[in-house]
Amino acid sequence: MRNKQATQLLFELSQPGCAEAIVPPCDVPSRPLAELVPPEELAETPPPLPEVSEPALIRHFINLSQLNMSVDTHFYPLGSCTMKYNPKRNDRLAQLPGFANLHPYQPLETVQGLLGALHALQQILAEIAGMEAVTLQPAAGAHGELTALLIAAAYFRHRGEHRTTVLIPDVAHGTNPASATMAGFRSVQVKSNTQGLVDLEDLRSKLNAQTAVFMITNPNTLGLFETQIRRIADMVHAVGGLVYMDGANMNAVMGIVRPGDCGADMMHYNPHKTFSGPHGGGGPGAGPVAVKKHLADFLPIPVIVETAPGQYTLDENRPLSIGRVRSFYGNISVLLRAYAYIRTQGPEGLRRVSERAVLNANYLLARVRSFLPVPYGHRCMHEFVASAMKIRASRNISAMDIAKRLLDYGFHAPTVYFPLVLREALMIEPTETETKATLDAFADTLKAILEEPPELVHEAPHTTPISRPDEVLAARAPILKWTPVSESASG
Amino acid sequence: MAYLPQTEQEVKAMLAAIGVQSIDELFAHLPSDVRFQGQLKIPPALSELELTQHMEDLAQRNVGTHQKVCFLGGGAYDHFIPAVVDFIASRSEFYTSYTPYQPEVSQGNLQVFFEYQTLITQLTGLDVSNASLYDGATTLAEAVLMCLSHQTGRKRVIVPQNVHPEYRAVLATYLSHVSAEIITLATPRGIIDADSLARVVNDQTACVILQQPNFFGCVEAARKISEITHAAGALLIAVVDPISLGVLRRPGDYGADIAVAEGQSLGLPLAWGGPYLGILACREAFLRRLPGRLVGQTVDRRGQRCWVLTLQTREQHIRREKATSNICTNQGLMALRATVYLAALGPHGLRAVAELCLQKAHYLRERLQREAGFQPLFNAAFFKEFAVAAESPAEVKTLLEIATDAGFFAGIPLGRWFPELANALLIAVTEKRTQAEMDRLTAILASARTRADSRAIDRKSSMTPSSQRTVQVE
């Protein structure tokens, strides 16, 4: 069954002259190009793109598609990424011609249905957050973080305060410190305690008049709920700082805990995680940001507002706004999928989703912890982090080995080596859309792998199209594009 | 029970295995003062049929480019999308997978991104490309940040007024906490004046931004601008329309250091502005400062050629606060669409599309000038988009309303961003527009102007040649 053609590159399939025309001949009188554009700006030849026939093109990409694991084909317990089932109805509805064929600058009277949906989504996201205002514009979670930190900066500037630091727990996503830097802040790391939660003493010692924002992910990346969240928020507010919640893990708490009620001043959502948007091989996602009232004036422009019942417009005239964070409005088709998902669930459904996500994770935790230690937490939320430290010491099988061997059994690997506080970490997130049978099969497989001959596991995967690529070579001598043989020989 | 496969019996068995009585017990460690009491005030659940009816109703309240003939551009274009693009992009092995953290089971995505990177370098004539960013505007901001960190000590960023106004706005937001100054260069004739540019470029200039074709559709003297920029030791960022590269010189060929593009034209639906695709290519010297994902070629332990995410030490999950950018998730599926689009067209297809845009845009402008009395706002050469002047802002509004009623999205009023150009319209023509559509639009606008008894007057560009506005940003 191995298909060698599958790994040929488009450029190697190229055969001059075999691509067919997709456009008709010109139906208006043509003029020489040099009459229309100064000759020095004209290219003599078009760019050297490959030329492939349509059948070759289809076979190429379909073969490539089959080299991927995906949610629709495999269990994908990639912690922190929330790879849950992507409902087909949402894809279909988001791509209706009345949504897909809208130009961003067409008259607003002609997009009232869309604006109505987006306005409703804003209100729903505000309600789930326990906050008052929402922008849907950020293009990804990290873009939402940046947007929120710029809002914080604008807020303090407006108040005449000069605050320079953002406090970030050591278990945080790497995007948090990177976003803080981009927004002009210095980040300061806050330690976790022995329970894997924010160390309040360490936090206290780092809070001061320079503190602009404390960024917290709750549940955190160890899958644990920060039970002291109210107290933490009070401590941050006491020095005049703001609390930002990274909403990457909202799938665990919808309708159960609202960040705003816990004292967070702002948060972002990852609709591709929480509201089941397909991840697209790494995007597009979106990163809506919700804020409390005192930050609403700083949201990016434009803001969708309702001017009369059922009438919507874009408000650009907002003097305190941080400005624009992207062109046009946002990743609309991702947002429409989120809207469709939420409307399918309703308030009870959303809560039940979180309950089942937590049930599945705790069930898998109960099954796994007998053979793979889970150092932090007796209970988890929607994910947990196991450690392969012990098995590494006893049988020399690492977290990476386990991850690779799982691929042989048809399971996508968990997230490995994150969060950084735990050595040999395996971050497992089953999500609510998996059956007990799948979780049992996964747990049984995991257990069996730990008992396999270590050499077998070291050399895994054995059945995948490729195995253990040389990543050092890739980084030491980067080859980032295809080069024709003649060129690469002379170069 | 939407999307929840566990039966009540299974739930019971699972609770027993965990050692609790109820699901609620799993949340017992959450302090009561953070537990949300009551029910979220959001609309009740809908069945699939009800949801479908609701969403179809919302969609029908919009009027799309499938119902009106679209002459709107301004950075988003109604280009034709070959069927193969939607077909490949709807393979769920592509769209329900994630960032290829496990290369063994992600070679499909990795190879597509490697092919995308190669196609983008071929398209732009530059050395390296990343595997996509969010959109054209944020990508321009990232490119400027690359230049600032490469050109340590140089703080000046020169942005002509004819760069997309929303790109300029996003750039201002991104630079609001960076020690840099944005110099906005006036472009009263629609294109960059070489002498004006030469006067503001100096040894403090980190980079000059050139949009080619620019926001008004005009073709710039790219090589000349590149020379002026480089003579001062500054870097050139070219913002391009990828379709135009079917006929126009590539950024790498006129010396641009970084090329940025909005990839929407390459097979992405308009979708009211997103998701789109940020294209970024650069010279090799900037490789270590490139934001976003990079896919590299290597071999596996069996010696087979394969692909992996590489140079990840630039990225936020390893370098954290020292990362070159915070970008994690980007636009993978959109990069796939662009890859399939470019492969489907090939060099001759891209050239054909570009030539159709060019010829048809010139046809329409000439007819509008001859038969409806519109004067071109600028005299410069143009590619697929052009600006024309009407009598007054009120006339612009009236004409657009009449055209909309007659089935045309005729253009974008420029007063939206340029108060001094409130009497002007920006009109885009893609390969999809037919002669019949253009003739009809011309007739409608001509008759509307006659009816309103407005006389077409030869008006000179009213774009204020405002003295250089220097916007200092702390």
Side-chain angles (χ1 to χ4, degrees):
Chain A
M1 259 292 277
R2 179 156 170 71
N3 185 349
K4 278 208 142 175
Q5 284 173 323
T7 55
Q8 276 189 291
L9 289 160
L10 272 175
F11 316 97
E12 294 159 347
L13 296 168
S14 176
Q15 284 196 311
C18 75
E20 59 187 308
I22 63 152
V23 291
C26 193
D27 65 349
V28 300
S30 284
R31 288 159 58 187
L33 295 189
E35 264 180 35
L36 305 178
V37 174
E40 62 273 21
E41 306 306 332
L42 282 174
E44 280 150 27
T45 57
L49 304 172
E51 296 178 62
V52 287
S53 67
E54 185 164 323
L57 178 141
I58 291 293
R59 188 168 292 164
H60 174 73
F61 285 105
I62 298 301
N63 278 327
L64 286 184
S65 76
Q66 294 179 340
L67 301 178
N68 284 340
M69 272 190 182
S70 65
V71 170
D72 279 1
T73 56
H74 294 82
F75 179 41
Y76 216 112
L78 191 63
S80 196
C81 299
T82 314
M83 299 294 289
K84 62 189 196 182
Y85 170 68
N86 309 123
K88 304 309 159 195
R89 70 187 68 160
N90 303 346
D91 297 336
R92 184 170 145 230
L93 296 173
Q95 295 172 68
L96 287 171
F99 293 131
N101 297 330
L102 302 178
H103 188 283
Y105 294 143
Q106 68 184 64
L108 290 179
E109 310 86 77
T110 61
V111 291
Q112 289 296 311
L114 174 73
L115 290 178
L118 297 176
H119 189 263
L121 181 61
Q122 285 181 179
Q123 290 183 309
I124 290 168
L125 294 181
E127 168 71 6
I128 297 171
M131 298 186 187
E132 282 83 30
V134 167
T135 174
L136 302 174
Q137 284 168 70
H143 200 214
E145 292 172 21
L146 174 62
T147 301
L149 289 170
L150 291 172
I151 288 170
Y155 167 79
F156 288 119
R157 197 168 49 228
H158 180 64
R159 291 166 61 96
E161 294 182 49
H162 186 63
R163 291 174 177 257
T164 52
T165 58
V166 171
L167 305 186
I168 302 173
D170 52 10
V171 293
H173 297 110
T175 49
N176 290 180
S179 299
T181 305
M182 284 189 81
F185 293 108
R186 190 169 64 84
S187 50
V188 173
Q189 189 166 294
V190 177
K191 284 189 205 131
S192 300
N193 63 21
T194 50
Q195 283 94 54
L197 302 173
V198 172
D199 184 328
L200 294 195
E201 280 317 301
D202 195 51
L203 174 62
R204 194 186 316 277
S205 74
K206 285 165 182 166
L207 279 170
N208 54 44
Q210 296 300 304
T211 306
V213 181
F214 178 57
M215 296 180 92
I216 184 165
T217 308
N218 194 20
N220 70 20
T221 58
L222 287 161
L224 307 174
F225 191 83
E226 296 279 358
T227 48
Q228 301 264 39
I229 181 70
R230 282 289 291 268
R231 204 162 146 216
I232 289 169
D234 289 346
M235 287 165 66
V236 175
H237 290 149
V239 299
L242 296 172
V243 176
Y244 175 79
M245 204 189 94
D246 179 327
N249 295 336
M250 279 300 284
N251 201 45
V253 294
M254 289 184 287
I256 296 166
V257 175
R258 300 198 307 172
D261 300 343
C262 302
D265 301 281
M266 45 189 178
M267 69 166 289
H268 82 259
Y269 287 95
N270 299 79
H272 48 292
K273 300 179 183 181
T274 314
F275 306 121
S276 79
H279 288 62
V289 169
V291 298
K292 290 254 181 81
K293 215 180 213 151
H294 54 284
L295 298 172
D297 288 343
F298 304 96
L299 289 175
I301 51 168
V303 173
I304 299 173
V305 291
E306 190 170 21
T307 50
Q311 299 287 313
Y312 306 93
T313 193
L314 295 178
D315 183 5
E316 305 249 1
N317 181 22
R318 300 176 70 95
L320 294 180
S321 165
I322 59 166
R324 271 194 170 271
V325 295
R326 58 156 285 166
S327 60
F328 313 121
Y329 193 77
N331 285 352
I332 302 307
S333 61
V334 177
L335 298 166
L336 286 171
R337 282 175 173 86
Y339 176 72
Y341 177 78
I342 292 168
R343 294 303 312 267
T344 297
Q345 299 293 0
E348 289 155 21
L350 284 184
R351 186 193 171 94
R352 196 156 49 224
V353 160
S354 290
E355 289 175 350
R356 292 294 172 87
V358 173
L359 171 72
N360 272 6
N362 275 286
Y363 176 68
L364 198 52
L365 170 67
R367 295 254 4 229
V368 163
R369 77 173 342 146
S370 61
F371 53 85
L372 206 56
V374 178
Y376 293 107
H378 168 62
R379 286 266 176 278
C380 66
M381 295 301 281
H382 66 313
E383 62 193 358
F384 62 91
V385 185
S387 169
M389 273 296 282
K390 240 173 93 180
I391 190 81
R392 179 158 188 182
S394 63
R395 306 198 70 220
N396 198 25
I397 292 174
S398 68
M400 187 61 85
D401 293 337
I402 297 169
K404 296 297 183 195
R405 186 64 178 141
L406 279 166
L407 306 177
D408 278 334
Y409 290 96
F411 294 111
H412 194 279
T415 296
V416 287
Y417 302 122
F418 181 79
L420 308 173
V421 293
L422 185 58
R423 293 170 71 188
E424 295 297 322
L426 286 153
M427 187 184 202
I428 302 172
E429 179 178 12
T431 82
E432 72 281 2
T433 58
E434 297 300 329
T435 62
K436 176 174 177 293
T438 303
L439 305 184
D440 284 335
F442 180 76
D444 292 343
T445 303
L446 206 50
K447 183 163 192 285
I449 288 171
L450 303 186
E451 289 158 9
E452 286 183 332
E455 321 77 70
L456 182 71
V457 184
H458 283 316
E459 289 178 13
H462 301 275
T463 58
T464 47
I466 63 148
S467 180
R468 302 260 181 161
D470 188 341
E471 297 189 13
V472 176
L473 175 69
R476 207 178 46 216
I479 302 175
L480 304 171
K481 63 176 179 189
W482 173 83
T483 314
V485 177
S486 54
E487 251 178 67
S488 57
S490 62
Chain B
M1 297 290 268
Y3 323 124
L4 302 177
Q6 311 86 354
T7 64
E8 283 308 318
Q9 238 175 351
E10 283 173 331
V11 170
K12 273 190 196 136
M14 291 162 85
L15 290 171
I18 298 166
V20 293
Q21 303 292 319
S22 66
I23 289 183
D24 210 43
E25 218 177 297
L26 297 173
F27 295 90
H29 63 295
L30 271 53
S32 59
D33 64 348
V34 304
R35 292 285 302 259
F36 175 62
Q37 308 298 332
Q39 199 177 61
L40 291 171
K41 290 185 197 65
I42 68 174
L46 298 177
S47 66
E48 180 169 353
L49 174 57
E50 290 168 308
L51 177 74
T52 303
Q53 286 164 341
H54 171 61
M55 296 287 280
E56 280 174 350
D57 175 54
L58 289 170
Q60 274 161 18
R61 276 191 250 161
N62 307 316
V63 183
T65 56
H66 55 305
Q67 293 152 311
K68 301 244 185 239
V69 182
C70 180
F71 289 94
L72 306 181
Y77 301 93
D78 183 27
H79 285 290
F80 177 67
I81 301 176
V84 290
V85 176
D86 284 321
F87 179 80
I88 301 293
S90 60
R91 284 292 292 205
S92 62
E93 299 92 329
F94 283 126
Y95 84 80
T96 74
S97 58
Y98 195 38
T99 303
Y101 292 125
Q102 293 291 335
E104 285 92 343
V105 291
S106 312
Q107 284 298 300
N109 279 327
L110 286 162
Q111 186 172 328
V112 166
F113 298 147
F114 184 80
E115 291 178 348
Y116 167 83
Q117 289 171 187
T118 307
L119 289 165
I120 296 306
T121 60
Q122 292 178 336
L123 191 64
T124 58
L126 284 159
D127 302 325
V128 284
S129 159
N130 64 13
S132 86
L133 298 175
Y134 306 141
D135 72 342
T138 56
T139 303
L140 174 60
E142 296 277 356
V144 169
L145 292 172
M146 283 169 73
C147 291
L148 288 167
S149 69
H150 186 82
Q151 301 270 65
T152 330
R154 292 184 173 221
K155 300 200 181 305
R156 186 175 266 208
V157 178
I158 295 177
V159 190
Q161 214 175 355
N162 61 22
V163 169
H164 196 306
E166 292 191 0
Y167 288 33
R168 289 193 276 133
V170 172
L171 179 64
T173 305
Y174 268 64
L175 293 189
S176 58
H177 299 280
V178 174
S179 128
E181 55 171 356
I182 298 176
I183 308 283
T184 306
L185 184 70
T187 53
R189 292 187 302 119
I191 55 172
I192 297 170
D193 177 66
D195 294 334
S196 307
L197 177 64
R199 276 197 296 277
V200 293
V201 180
N202 60 21
D203 61 2
Q204 285 307 298
T205 307
C207 59
V208 171
I209 297 169
L210 161 74
Q211 185 172 357
Q212 172 78 322
N214 65 39
F215 182 70
F216 302 116
C218 304
V219 174
E220 299 275 1
R223 186 172 292 282
K224 183 100 204 250
I225 290 160
S226 177
E227 281 164 11
I228 294 168
T229 302
H230 289 133
L235 300 169
L236 181 69
I237 300 174
V239 181
V240 297
D241 172 351
I243 296 292
S244 74
L245 300 176
V247 290
L248 297 186
R249 231 181 254 288
R250 301 181 301 171
D253 298 339
Y254 53 78
D257 299 279
I258 301 177
V260 165
E262 170 51 68
Q264 181 271 330
S265 293
L266 305 177
L268 276 59
L270 282 166
W272 206 57
Y276 284 0
L277 171 68
I279 292 174
L280 179 56
C282 61
R283 291 200 287 112
E284 189 137 24
F286 304 95
L287 173 60
R288 306 270 162 182
R289 298 183 197 280
L290 256 184
R293 306 283 185 198
L294 284 173
V295 172
Q297 181 181 316
T298 187
V299 292
D300 76 347
R301 66 183 176 85
R302 304 165 192 152
Q304 303 177 99
R305 178 176 69 172
C306 60
W307 289 274
V308 293
L309 290 178
T310 193
L311 299 177
Q312 292 181 78
T313 48
R314 300 164 301 120
E315 289 185 79
Q316 36 74 26
H317 58 277
I318 293 178
R319 270 173 74 84
R320 296 176 82 83
E321 69 276 6
K322 294 190 188 69
T324 48
S325 115
N326 73 337
I327 286 176
C328 181
T329 295
N330 45 60
Q331 302 290 113
L333 193 69
M334 302 296 136
L336 168 69
R337 292 186 76 96
T339 304
V340 178
Y341 180 85
L342 287 170
L345 263 68
H348 308 299
L350 187 67
R351 179 127 194 158
V353 170
E355 285 195 19
L356 284 176
C357 295
L358 181 73
Q359 297 287 357
K360 291 183 181 207
H362 283 78
Y363 174 81
L364 180 60
R365 193 175 88 165
E366 198 187 302
R367 290 214 63 170
L368 288 176
Q369 189 171 355
R370 210 175 53 222
E371 288 163 45
F374 288 104
Q375 290 308 307
L377 193 60
F378 303 116
N379 289 322
F382 63 101
F383 171 58
K384 71 180 178 195
E385 203 163 9
F386 56 89
V388 293
E391 278 295 294
S392 63
E395 195 199 11
V396 166
K397 191 166 175 285
T398 309
L399 291 176
L400 288 179
E401 281 166 7
I402 291 170
T404 305
D405 289 344
F408 293 84
F409 291 139
I412 306 172
L414 283 173
R416 179 178 180 140
W417 302 281
F418 303 91
E420 68 276 23
L421 300 181
N423 67 334
L425 273 175
L426 187 65
I427 297 172
V429 186
T430 68
E431 75 283 3
K432 279 173 79 173
R433 300 291 72 88
T434 62
Q435 182 177 16
E437 289 169 345
M438 293 189 280
D439 291 350
R440 182 124 198 280
L441 177 67
T442 306
I444 288 160
L445 293 178
S447 114
R449 300 198 90 184
T450 318
R451 256 188 311 174
D453 195 30
S454 56
R455 287 160 300 123
I457 293 177
D458 185 4
R459 289 168 75 92
K460 287 264 182 280
S461 152
S462 61
M463 188 163 186
T464 326
S466 55
S467 58
Q468 289 145 17
R469 287 184 299 138
T470 303
V471 185
Q472 298 266 1
V473 184
E474 228 261 286

